[in-house]
Amino acid sequence: MDRTPPSATPAITPPVRFATFVTGAIVAVAGLTILTGWWFHIDPFKSIVSGAAPIKPNVGAAFFLCGAALVFLPFRRFATWVGGVVTTLGLVVLILGLATLLEFFLNADFGFDRWPVFSRSASLVATTAWRTHPVTALTFLLMAGALVAHAKLVPLSGRAPLVAGLSSAVVLIGLLPLVGWLMEILAGPQWNFLGMSKSGLVAALSFIFLGAGSLAALYAEQRLHWALGRWTTVAFAFSILLTAITIAGAFNFTRRMLETQEWVNHRNGVLQRVQECVTDAADLASSERVYVITGEERLVRDRAQQSDALRKKIAEVRQLTADNPNQTRNLDQLKPLIAQNLGWQEQVIAARREQGPSIAAAMIATGRGIELSEQILKTFQQMQAEEYRLLGKDRQTVQAAAVETFSLLPIGVFISVSVLSVCVFFLNSGVWRQTQSEEEIRQLNQDLEQRVARRTVELEAANKELEAFSYSVSHDLRAPLRAVDGFSQAVVEDYGPQLPEEARHYLETIRDGARRMGALIDDLLTFSRLSRLPLSRRSISTEAMVHDALNELGFPREGRQVEMRIADLPPSLGDSALLKQVWLNLLSNALKYTGPRNPAIIEVGCTRKNGQGENVFLVRDNGTGFDMRYADKLFGVFQRLHRAEEFEGTGVGLAIVQRIVHRHGGRVWAEAALDQGATFYFTLEGEHKA
């Protein structure tokens, strides 16, 4: 630790010192209030803001420790032990943040998230979701680093920029979501670019107070110096803020697009169920009329099962549309109509069976059945119209979000590049002119012009590509991801040596997230193209295709004990490229979900349905399996039965399998038990025993 003689220590400005004390006290009181709520089961104290979700106890503890450290910080010069207290508090917060991140990345539960309430709220702990968001943990790490640097554990030459940089980052992390939340109140939910709710208000304000209090302490010690001019500083700050808002806008766009896609899938599911109900009702009416004409009992033998199936599908539609009062009213009208129509049909059938065709024909001639059928069809059409209306609104939402984002991204990028270019020019012609020659300045300007020209060319190319994009969900996601990845890389390449290690790590994390989202988009595009690609059917060696798929997956994998059992497989009739994708996805899933098994056992085989007829191909494993109650969600887009932290993936692979199999006129299904493995089956059209 460096020791400055008392006579050389600058006097702390009382008002600024008091500001550090007040901001720290506010945050410490907020943290203590949260802990008190958990200790004594006072629900309003847990969230502080009425109607918000409870704040986790370890977050409250971290706020208390950080706030207490700021309370002590202004008095460090009056007693040597104060610096030790600030350092200790900062290190505790540092350990807490690292432990929370460790839990997150290892997908483990070591109890760090709930340690402040172990002894007081054990029963409550068992029923609450405790995982702290990694961004919150990272922000506490930044604040802990600033506190430790304040306590003179960092050399004097690097202390001020380190504290200033970390504290400013904490303020910005708290400020951005707060601005988005306020914009939502003023202009609508589409402007809440980070999706913050009222539940995050306390955390956002606390981070702003902590960062501001730390900067105030640095300013009070007269160590917060700034060499840049006022307007250059303002321009830099504006450019950084605009870049952050642009990235946040891209994030918000992606979130809204995914949410809308879920609703689009929901609407399509409802429409599919309604259409199935229309078909089933028409089949029942048709079988009744044909029976009256022919008198063949086989035509009405399964009517009870068909009627039950129709009622079950109507019940599913009611469940899917429970949030829509219009559809509830339609279903309330439909229920008695269905009952009356089925009852009338049974009367006609009974009359035909007992009194002959003339009596049944006379009943049909009254038009009662036709009238009921028309009313039922009209109600079904009203339900379909309602879903198409909502589907249209969803598409309008997507288009509006696309227009907003496609306007925000180019404008934000152009303004940011322009402001940064002007700022760098003034820096080069001002500050750097004192250590450098005119030739160096000229070279820097040339490099700057080349970078600006290169960026301009890239932006022009990007704009041309944007004009060519369709308004489909998957395609619209690509532009913001390229902006996030590209400009993050540009910042790393152009300003990497000037950034702290944490900042470079954050930028690489942003790029990694963009690449993972890119993989998801590729899967979505593959999924969307499957309905348009022409099929080239031919006879294919299934065994060779399975072995090719295993080779492509890198099997056998070093370090894993996998027993692969491949039975004799008959040839397949279909498109070789698409069917290979089916085997790739199914075998990849089997290898992935048997990761915890030693040895892992994977079987590939083919059986006969009921001993005859079509071939049924299967992939069986002894992996983690799944609960069959959720099997209906298995082949849906984005439907995952395991958390992303447990097993990587995009949630599109099985949907691709289903679409390929359906295009081949086949079926796909699965059987499994939790922690006892799973078996996936599929058939293909024309796969019959010779």
Side-chain angles (χ1 to χ4, degrees):
M1 298 176 62
D2 66 309
R3 299 184 179 274
T4 306
S7 59
T9 303
I12 298 180
T13 308
V16 181
R17 181 181 65 188
F18 184 68
T20 300
F21 178 86
V22 170
T23 55
I26 292 173
V27 177
V29 169
L32 187 60
T33 301
I34 296 167
L35 292 175
T36 302
W38 287 108
W39 286 335
F40 299 103
H41 309 289
I42 306 174
D43 289 339
F45 284 12
K46 297 176 186 177
S47 57
I48 299 180
V49 177
S50 177
I55 299 173
K56 295 175 177 59
N58 68 320
V59 175
F63 279 137
F64 172 74
L65 295 173
C66 290
L70 283 187
V71 169
F72 280 101
L73 191 59
F75 306 102
R76 185 181 64 243
R77 66 187 294 269
F78 299 113
T80 56
W81 59 268
V82 173
V85 171
V86 174
T87 302
T88 302
L89 294 175
L91 290 175
V92 172
V93 175
L94 187 69
I95 294 171
L96 182 61
L98 288 173
T100 303
L101 286 178
L102 184 65
E103 282 188 326
F104 177 80
F105 288 114
L106 296 182
N107 192 29
D109 182 9
F110 301 132
F112 296 121
D113 287 345
R114 54 183 183 269
W115 66 268
V117 294
F118 267 145
S119 60
R120 297 296 184 99
S121 302
S123 61
L124 188 60
V125 165
T127 61
T128 307
W130 290 97
R131 182 56 53 85
T132 299
H133 198 284
V135 173
T136 303
L138 286 171
T139 309
F140 281 127
L141 287 181
L142 297 178
M143 192 63 214
L147 291 173
V148 172
H150 265 301
K152 299 184 179 180
L153 292 181
V154 177
L156 184 63
S157 59
R159 185 185 309 159
L162 180 60
V163 172
L166 295 176
S167 303
S168 300
V170 171
V171 172
L172 190 62
I173 290 173
L175 186 62
L176 281 176
L178 181 62
V179 170
W181 182 71
L182 294 175
M183 288 295 292
E184 177 180 359
I185 296 175
L186 297 175
Q190 68 272 19
W191 293 99
N192 192 347
F193 41 77
L194 286 179
M196 192 187 89
S197 64
K198 184 165 58 174
S199 300
L201 184 60
V202 172
L205 290 174
S206 297
F207 285 136
I208 292 173
F209 285 153
L210 288 175
S214 177
L215 290 172
L218 194 65
Y219 181 78
E221 295 177 358
Q222 300 181 8
R223 299 193 182 279
L224 188 59
H225 304 293
W226 200 254
L228 300 179
R230 178 187 304 173
W231 292 111
T232 302
T233 302
V234 171
F236 260 122
F238 174 74
S239 181
I240 293 172
L241 181 62
L242 187 60
T243 302
I245 291 176
T246 301
I247 295 173
F251 167 81
N252 181 53
F253 167 70
T254 303
R255 176 177 58 84
R256 290 172 58 194
M257 294 292 284
L258 292 176
E259 291 174 354
T260 305
Q261 180 63 40
E262 291 179 0
W263 277 111
V264 169
N265 293 338
H266 176 80
R267 310 285 184 219
N268 288 330
V270 173
L271 288 170
Q272 179 181 352
R273 273 289 180 265
V274 171
Q275 185 58 46
E276 291 174 358
C277 292
V278 173
T279 302
D280 290 353
D283 289 343
L284 285 167
S286 176
S287 66
E288 172 229 5
R289 290 177 176 81
V290 176
Y291 174 75
V292 170
I293 297 172
T294 65
E296 295 185 19
E297 290 292 335
R298 64 180 180 80
L299 296 174
V300 294
R301 189 175 301 137
D302 297 329
R303 283 187 62 84
Q305 293 87 337
Q306 294 173 346
S307 300
D308 290 341
L310 174 59
R311 294 188 183 96
K312 182 179 179 182
K313 289 177 181 178
I314 292 175
E316 291 176 358
V317 173
R318 183 179 291 274
Q319 183 178 2
L320 289 171
T321 60
D323 61 331
N324 189 335
N326 293 334
Q327 297 291 46
T328 301
R329 286 192 294 270
N330 288 330
L331 288 166
D332 290 341
Q333 296 173 5
L334 185 65
K335 183 176 180 180
L337 291 174
I338 292 289
Q340 294 174 31
N341 196 31
L342 292 177
W344 173 256
Q345 291 173 8
E346 292 300 325
Q347 293 177 25
V348 174
I349 291 171
R352 171 62 174 86
R353 184 180 292 123
E354 298 170 1
Q355 303 177 39
S358 60
I359 300 299
M363 294 178 67
I364 292 177
T366 63
R368 174 61 175 167
I370 295 176
E371 179 184 355
L372 289 171
S373 296
E374 288 177 348
Q375 292 178 8
I376 290 172
L377 180 60
K378 181 179 179 181
T379 305
F380 277 133
Q381 289 173 344
Q382 289 174 353
M383 296 177 66
Q384 290 174 327
E386 173 69 9
E387 291 302 318
Y388 278 119
R389 181 184 68 82
L390 295 173
L391 193 60
K393 291 180 62 177
D394 291 337
R395 288 170 177 166
Q396 289 178 358
T397 300
V398 172
Q399 292 176 355
V403 171
E404 292 171 7
T405 304
F406 290 159
S407 299
L408 172 65
L409 283 174
I411 292 174
V413 168
F414 274 119
I415 294 178
S416 297
V417 171
S418 300
V419 172
L420 286 173
S421 300
V422 172
C423 290
V424 172
F425 175 80
F426 278 106
L427 283 175
N428 288 335
S429 62
V431 177
W432 293 103
R433 185 186 302 171
Q434 301 173 4
T435 57
Q436 295 181 342
S437 65
E438 293 182 359
E439 178 60 27
E440 291 174 333
I441 295 175
R442 186 186 65 81
Q443 185 62 44
L444 286 173
N445 286 334
Q446 289 179 352
D447 293 341
L448 176 61
E449 291 174 359
Q450 292 174 359
R451 286 197 297 270
V452 172
R454 185 170 62 253
R455 297 292 191 277
T456 302
V457 171
E458 292 174 356
L459 288 172
E460 290 175 352
N463 284 336
K464 291 179 181 178
E465 292 178 0
L466 287 175
E467 292 173 0
F469 282 168
S470 68
Y471 287 101
S472 65
V473 174
S474 298
H475 289 72
D476 286 344
L477 285 170
R478 284 194 174 277
L481 285 176
R482 271 199 294 268
V484 171
D485 188 31
F487 284 100
S488 299
Q489 181 182 8
V491 173
V492 172
E493 292 176 352
D494 296 343
Y495 307 105
Q498 305 173 27
L499 295 173
E501 182 64 28
E502 291 88 350
R504 291 195 299 273
H505 172 70
Y506 298 154
L507 290 169
E508 291 298 333
T509 302
I510 291 173
R511 294 194 64 208
D512 182 63
R515 286 191 292 267
R516 282 188 279 111
M517 181 60 77
L520 174 59
I521 294 172
D522 289 338
D523 283 350
L524 286 174
L525 290 175
T526 300
F527 182 74
S528 65
R529 291 190 187 111
L530 287 176
S531 61
R532 302 191 300 270
L533 291 175
L535 290 181
S536 177
R537 293 182 184 269
R538 62 183 180 86
S539 181
I540 308 163
S541 171
T542 307
E543 291 188 25
M545 188 159 45
V546 169
H547 285 290
D548 288 345
L550 288 172
N551 290 335
E552 190 166 326
L553 291 171
F555 179 84
R557 298 187 178 182
E558 185 177 352
R560 284 195 62 186
Q561 185 177 353
V562 180
E563 182 178 341
M564 185 68 64
R565 303 173 182 174
I566 302 177
D568 292 335
L569 301 173
S572 302
L573 180 63
D575 188 290
S576 59
L578 294 181
L579 291 183
K580 182 178 178 182
Q581 188 65 49
V582 170
W583 288 109
L584 277 170
N585 289 7
L586 293 180
L587 291 170
S588 174
N589 274 6
L591 289 168
K592 176 169 61 176
Y593 291 109
T594 56
R597 300 292 189 258
N598 190 14
I601 301 175
I602 300 174
E603 302 178 33
V604 179
C606 181
T607 64
R608 288 287 180 185
K609 183 180 179 183
N610 299 326
Q612 60 183 359
E614 61 188 351
N615 293 324
V616 180
F617 297 98
L618 63 91
V619 176
R620 179 179 290 118
D621 64 67
N622 65 336
T624 57
F626 57 86
D627 192 331
M628 284 296 289
R629 290 180 298 173
Y630 308 108
D632 59 326
K633 299 182 178 180
L634 197 63
F635 296 97
V637 179
F638 303 129
Q639 298 291 344
R640 296 176 56 91
L641 303 187
H642 299 274
R643 293 183 299 173
E645 296 85 354
E646 295 178 316
F647 298 100
E648 63 181 7
T650 61
V652 184
L654 289 178
I656 291 175
V657 168
Q658 184 185 61
R659 178 157 290 188
I660 293 175
V661 171
H662 284 180
R663 288 210 63 199
H664 282 78
R667 297 171 295 112
V668 60
W669 68 97
E671 297 174 357
L674 198 60
D675 204 35
Q676 296 182 27
T679 305
F680 286 83
Y681 303 90
F682 70 91
T683 65
L684 302 172
E685 183 182 22
E687 292 295 323
H688 298 284
K689 185 176 180 179

